[in-house]
Amino acid sequence: MNAANSVRKVFEGVSTRSQMFKLFDRHSQRPDRWEADPAPLYSGEWFEIDETLYDYMLEILPPLWMRGPIFALREFLTGSVTSVFFALRIDDRTRYFHGYCDVSDGTAVERMRKAIVERETRPVRAMTRAERLEHIWSSTADAYRGYAGDGFPQALRGRRTVMFWSAGHGTLLKLLDHLTDDEIAAKLPVHMRHLPSIAA
């Protein structure tokens, strides 16, 4: 599974309303949904939204807190992890983002804000391998993604999988992090396939 604790971008581009709601719980099919603590899985994930969605989420409920253009939802995803929404000035325009932060960590929100600004002010549009894989996971329909089960060796069970079509082999179930560069390119939207690669 993807249990990273780092701040990480999970979707390239500005999400639509339906994409935003899907991204809110992009790990809903995990096999240990009712057993393991999901906080490390979600905490640190972020993606871009538009102003309309930012305003919509601000108006749903009174926020838990609001600090200038940043606010947190009072409904927690799990434990002390909740949605935090950012309106950030980047390259002379305001852009909007959603992230999951563990608000029991007093530095989490500022750490995410800095990471978003740093990531989005790069002079050349590019993606890391990890961002490409996260975008594939985020944009693949539930019916075509899942988790390794009985057909995989014990050591690989529970890791994320995606369906992949291969000439000569038909449809294959592959571990997400085992996709080759060519397979990643084939799964990405056309406008993202040739973006330069950058180090994580």
Side-chain angles (χ1 to χ4, degrees):
M1 285 214 208
N2 174 36
N5 287 308
S6 62
V7 177
R8 61 213 175 272
K9 185 176 186 176
V10 298
F11 186 81
E12 181 66 29
V14 180
S15 64
T16 64
R17 182 186 173 94
S18 62
Q19 287 169 333
M20 178 183 77
F21 283 104
K22 183 179 174 186
L23 288 164
F24 282 163
D25 198 6
R26 64 192 208 107
H27 305 291
S28 62
Q29 294 178 296
R30 64 189 186 279
D32 61 352
R33 183 175 174 91
W34 309 114
E35 300 158 14
D37 176 14
L41 195 60
Y42 289 92
S43 185
E45 294 189 342
W46 65 270
F47 58 89
E48 190 168 359
I49 60 174
D50 64 21
E51 183 178 10
T52 302
L53 293 174
Y54 174 91
D55 291 341
Y56 171 78
M57 296 306 296
L58 180 58
E59 293 167 7
I60 284 182
L61 291 170
L64 177 66
W65 51 256
M66 188 161 193
R67 300 173 190 151
I70 302 173
F71 68 91
L73 289 191
R74 73 175 50 250
E75 289 188 356
F76 287 78
L77 173 71
T78 182
S80 54
V81 175
T82 192
S83 291
V84 177
F85 292 85
F86 301 80
L88 302 175
R89 196 82 177 150
I90 298 174
D91 295 334
D92 297 322
R93 68 185 179 99
T94 303
R95 293 169 61 188
Y96 304 87
F97 302 89
H98 166 273
Y100 278 123
C101 293
D102 182 344
V103 293
S104 69
D105 174 353
T107 66
V109 174
E110 178 60 14
R111 204 166 54 245
M112 179 170 283
R113 186 197 68 77
K114 286 181 177 177
I116 292 170
V117 170
E118 179 184 324
R119 173 64 185 87
E120 295 303 304
T121 53
R122 292 180 180 161
V124 176
R125 187 168 177 224
M127 295 175 77
T128 65
R129 176 180 168 82
E131 288 171 349
R132 292 171 201 267
L133 292 175
E134 292 303 334
H135 184 88
I136 289 168
W137 180 258
S138 295
S139 58
T140 299
D142 287 347
Y144 300 101
R145 68 180 187 181
Y147 295 85
D150 294 341
F152 287 83
Q154 184 68 37
L156 300 178
R157 291 182 190 167
R159 287 171 61 178
R160 296 182 296 173
T161 60
V162 291
M163 298 296 286
F164 188 84
W165 188 85
S166 172
H169 299 289
T171 303
L172 304 171
L173 186 63
K174 293 200 69 171
L175 290 173
L176 178 67
D177 58 4
H178 284 194
L179 293 179
T180 66
D181 290 345
D182 287 342
E183 290 168 341
I184 290 171
K187 292 287 281 181
L188 287 172
V190 173
H191 67 282
M192 292 182 196
R193 290 179 184 171
H194 304 294
L195 291 178
S197 293
I198 51 173

